[in-house]
Amino acid sequence: MTLYEGKVGEQFQIVGIQLEQFNLTRRLQALGMNERTVVQKLNAKHGGACIIKVRGTRLAIGKHIAQGIEVVPKEER
């Protein structure tokens, strides 16, 4: 599933980032969004943008970016 499809308030683990623009992928990786990173979807706007929490930092990303981030639900341990 993509981060865009995930429910608000849940935590997910990133399994891949598939974006057309390589520079954008590199920027997300520089912000700490790599494989196996845990993210939490905090809010979703009507236009598709969403607010996420990554490594203690809140980020706003657009619908196009959220649709390019493949995630799985975080496993509880």
Side-chain angles (χ1 to χ4, degrees):
M1 110 174 83
T2 66
L3 186 57
Y4 177 74
E5 298 167 333
K7 290 185 178 182
V8 172
E10 293 189 7
Q11 291 187 336
F12 304 96
Q13 189 172 29
I14 297 175
V15 294
I17 299 175
Q18 306 296 325
L19 297 171
E20 294 176 10
Q21 297 177 342
F22 182 71
N23 291 341
L24 188 53
T25 301
R26 297 293 292 173
R27 178 66 177 145
L28 291 175
Q29 291 172 341
L31 291 170
M33 295 183 67
N34 302 303
E35 285 187 24
R36 292 180 270 154
T37 299
V38 175
V39 299
Q40 181 179 11
K41 188 170 181 179
L42 300 176
N43 198 355
K45 303 293 181 182
H46 294 293
C50 61
I51 299 172
I52 59 173
K53 185 174 183 180
V54 181
R55 300 180 187 253
T57 303
R58 291 170 42 132
L59 299 173
I61 59 174
K63 178 180 179 180
H64 176 71
I65 296 171
Q67 287 176 328
I69 301 173
E70 293 289 326
V71 296
V72 294
K74 182 182 177 249
E75 298 176 4
E76 297 296 326
R77 293 185 183 216

